[in-house]
Amino acid sequence: MNRNIKTDSIILRSRRIGELHKGLSCLTRSNGIIDAIAYGAGKGKSKLSGLVDPFSLLHLYLYFDPVKDSYKISDIEQKMIFPNIRLKLGKFYIASFWAELILKSFSGGGESGRVYPLLAQSLSILNKAEKGDQNLILIQFIWRYLGISGFQADIENCSECGKSFIDTETVLFDERDNEIVCSNCRTKMDMLQFTTGSLKYLRYTSTLALDKSMKIGLDNKSVDTLKHILFVMVQGIVEYPLNTLKKGLMYHN
Ligand SMILES: [Zn+2]
């Protein structure tokens, strides 16, 4: 085993260990999620202390200590910081939600090579986004993350009868089976209904590069509908309720 790892990384969570140290959960480009200890980072004077806040893009130098059976951070190079995410509460909630979703659902393996750039680019867009665009990057992140995780529902055809949604007026989300169905295949009265714009938007933007997708607008009603449906979808792929969704803060910004 290689004891020294150098990798691009985004800190998803940082917690204090005693007075002096910090424990970090990092999404790395090459090694999935790694838990590591930044010794001395709890002290103001340490070189590491200002660098271990969540959501910055970093280059990490990690050393695996076989005696303690844990990774230690030996050095950090800061690559990009996103000051607006720390300053603006609405942006901070979104980034915290992304971090929690990844921590609770990431299954490792080859996925990190795709999740890392998605998160890095989404944070960069979120940092710069006008208030109205924050929801769009939120929606894009969730939909693409579901795609990488293999949980993206079919948005072309009804999952039950195969009918194309292009000539269907009513399109519904079946929460129980994480499927999208037509009105003929409705199983309950209170199913969430897609607006025409929301489904078209997903279909059109999902093949675009992330930054290009941000140029496509969406009406407010469709934004709200998509957020609600996508929150239900992601809640379905994690075992426990997501804390960042529990408080309802994400629904109203
Ligand atoms: Zn159907």
Side-chain angles (χ1 to χ4, degrees), residues 158-163 165 181-186:
C158 172
S159 294
E160 288 299 316
C161 70
K163 188 172 174 185
F165 290 137
V181 297
C182 73
S183 53
N184 292 335
C185 301
R186 176 196 281 265

Side-chain angles (χ1 to χ4, degrees), residues 38-251:
Y39 288 98
K43 282 187 297 190
K45 281 183 212 155
S46 153
K47 184 200 162 197
L48 297 184
S49 70
L51 300 173
V52 293
D53 291 328
F55 315 132
S56 306
L57 304 195
L58 307 169
H59 193 71
L60 284 188
Y61 295 81
L62 297 153
Y63 170 75
F64 185 74
D65 182 343
V67 179
K68 291 185 175 150
D69 191 28
S70 70
Y71 283 97
K72 144 193 172 157
I73 292 174
S74 24
D75 202 4
I76 296 178
E77 280 165 27
Q78 203 167 50
K79 299 191 71 175
M80 205 181 287
I81 54 165
F82 304 119
N84 295 337
I85 294 179
R86 304 206 64 79
L87 288 171
K88 302 265 196 278
L89 214 48
K91 293 181 195 262
F92 184 76
Y93 289 146
I94 292 174
S96 304
F97 161 72
W98 291 343
E100 189 189 13
L101 175 60
I102 293 171
L103 281 166
K104 289 201 171 147
S105 65
F106 186 76
S107 59
E111 284 173 24
S112 61
R114 294 171 67 197
V115 175
Y116 180 88
L118 173 64
L119 181 63
Q121 213 188 345
S122 299
L123 287 168
S124 166
I125 291 170
L126 177 65
N127 183 58
K128 289 181 294 198
E130 302 290 335
K131 202 155 195 295
D133 287 344
Q134 288 178 197
N135 280 320
L136 296 181
I137 188 61
L138 170 64
I139 287 168
Q140 287 297 328
F141 177 90
I142 301 176
W143 185 245
R144 286 161 199 250
Y145 186 77
L146 286 167
I148 294 171
S149 314
F151 289 101
Q152 219 175 50
D154 187 351
I155 48 174
E156 302 291 340
N157 304 294
C158 172
S159 294
E160 288 299 316
C161 70
K163 188 172 174 185
S164 165
F165 290 137
I166 291 178
D167 30 63
T168 319
E169 262 180 38
T170 310
V171 179
L172 303 149
F173 176 57
D174 180 349
E175 201 175 313
R176 203 188 39 201
D177 296 323
N178 187 27
E179 282 177 351
I180 302 173
V181 297
C182 73
S183 53
N184 292 335
C185 301
R186 176 196 281 265
T187 50
K188 281 188 302 186
M189 282 320 288
D190 62 347
M191 288 165 89
L192 289 162
Q193 183 172 344
F194 283 90
T195 58
T196 317
S198 61
L199 209 58
K200 233 187 233 170
Y201 171 83
L202 275 192
R203 211 181 285 132
Y204 181 66
T205 55
S206 47
T207 55
L208 299 176
L210 192 55
D211 53 343
K212 294 252 161 55
S213 77
M214 291 303 292
K215 298 204 165 67
I216 314 298
L218 188 61
D219 64 280
N220 289 339
K221 183 161 189 266
S222 296
V223 166
D224 284 344
T225 305
L226 269 188
K227 271 169 73 177
H228 270 87
I229 291 176
L230 291 173
F231 286 156
V232 175
M233 284 183 181
V234 291
Q235 197 54 79
I237 70 170
V238 295
E239 213 170 323
Y240 300 102
L242 292 160
N243 291 320
T244 44
L245 287 185
K246 262 194 226 161
K247 296 167 202 149
L249 299 168
M250 300 285 300
Y251 293 90

